Amino acid sequence: MSESRLCDGVSADTIVLSFVVGYGPIPGGKPSSDRNKKGPTPDMSWQKMHEEIQRSLKSILLFTKHEVAVVVFTNALGLQMIQTDFVGLLHPSVKARVLFKPIMIESMCLQNYLAHMGFTWSARWALVKIFAYDMLPSCFDWVVQMDTDTILSGDIKELWDERLNFNPIQLMGGVTENQYNPRNMRKLSSKGIFVPDTNGFNTGVLLLSSQRMKEINFARDTVLSANAKLYPQWKHPDKVDPSKFYNVDQDVFNTVMLAFPSLRYQLSVKWNIQGCASFNTTMKTWLLDNRPGIFHFNCIRREIDTWSFVSDLRRVLDATPPGSIGLSSTTLL
């Protein structure tokens, strides 16, 4: 889709969200081992991702009454499935305030980037997040970049308005990764897994200044500068040290934030309530009393799955057909 078409209908008040939705493996990518072995986890089945993205999109449309643009980085099958099973079924009143903007990803685009930078990973959909900002049109100065395994339970405009609190240098807002606790760090270290920053972000939800990232050529110049600053013993300035990057896109973002902390903006934990986290009674009460913003269903064993609020939320979303969103009969929590 051309830049003019991507920008069509977008105003200064439009909230911009993006997802990477890979349906099937990227051509040329190789299956990866599981996380208990060295190497990133494989891409999930596209059927599961299709269920996730529908649930996530429904939550956005149910809890947000503002104009939104949803950018989906995908392939031909993904475009067809989302259009047939979701976008094409929406009520006209919802379509009037929701702009779906697909951006097609070619496998060579990702493979060339990885090879040029010196990464030894096989091509995987998650890696598109590293340079997705650069494929956004100039009319999108900011974007909320989300994983498909997220569910909104508050108004996304509240998160969107956090961009107004960034200083002129900050370009990435996120919530600290909950897996980087002492127990897990000992486990990861025993497996030879390198984590660049134990205070780094979980990249399942990020508020990004795409304009600033373009200005500093984030995915190329800034990543290489961060690699050189943190690992001065590395002798190849035009490549990264691949041994320092394990958890794919998250390690890339956190390497940059560690090297250049002035670029970092800390969001409230309510905007990425992670499945990997443990919550004491005080924190759980605070989150639920202050209207949780986004639940992130990472990890297999999740404490948040036991919360009645989460169970009720998922029940409502699963029982709500796309065509009924925006109708008075739809019941929110």
Side-chain angles (χ1 to χ4, degrees), residues 6-78:
L6 285 169
C7 292
D8 186 36
V10 176
S11 71
D13 297 324
T14 304
I15 299 170
V16 182
L17 313 172
S18 76
F19 295 87
V20 175
V21 190
Y23 284 68
I26 287 183
K30 298 177 182 178
S32 301
S33 56
D34 61 45
R35 188 170 174 81
N36 291 325
K37 300 176 183 178
K38 201 162 186 178
T41 53
D43 288 317
M44 70 176 70
S45 69
W46 66 262
Q47 292 93 339
K48 180 181 178 182
M49 184 172 287
H50 189 57
E51 295 173 1
E52 287 185 350
I53 187 63
Q54 291 185 82
R55 190 180 291 124
S56 188
L57 291 174
K58 282 192 281 187
S59 73
I60 292 168
L61 301 185
L62 284 170
F63 287 102
T64 302
K65 302 306 179 185
H66 304 278
E67 181 181 278
V68 296
V70 180
V71 180
V72 180
F73 296 92
T74 188
N75 56 2
L77 177 58

Side-chain angles (χ1 to χ4, degrees), residues 24 40 44 56 58 65 80 83 125 133 172 214 221 238 249 262 266 326:
M44 70 176 70
S56 188
K58 282 192 281 187
K65 302 306 179 185
Q80 176 186 346
Q83 180 64 39
W125 279 102
Y133 72 90
M172 179 182 300
K214 290 177 182 179
D221 294 348
D238 61 336
D249 64 284
S262 61
Q266 188 75 32

Side-chain angles (χ1 to χ4, degrees), residues 180-201:
Y180 297 158
N181 56 64
R183 179 181 177 183
N184 275 347
M185 287 307 301
R186 289 193 295 271
K187 181 178 179 181
L188 293 174
S189 296
S190 69
K191 297 178 180 296
I193 297 171
F194 179 81
V195 173
D197 183 9
T198 56
N199 293 312
F201 287 154

Side-chain angles (χ1 to χ4, degrees), residues 90-101:
L90 292 175
H91 191 270
S93 63
V94 175
K95 288 184 178 181
R97 63 178 176 87
V98 181
L99 306 170
F100 282 90
K101 306 288 188 178

Side-chain angles (χ1 to χ4, degrees), residues 129-143:
K129 293 192 294 181
I130 299 170
F131 58 89
Y133 72 90
D134 201 36
M135 291 181 282
L136 293 173
S138 57
C139 59
F140 294 165
D141 292 343
W142 292 83
V143 62

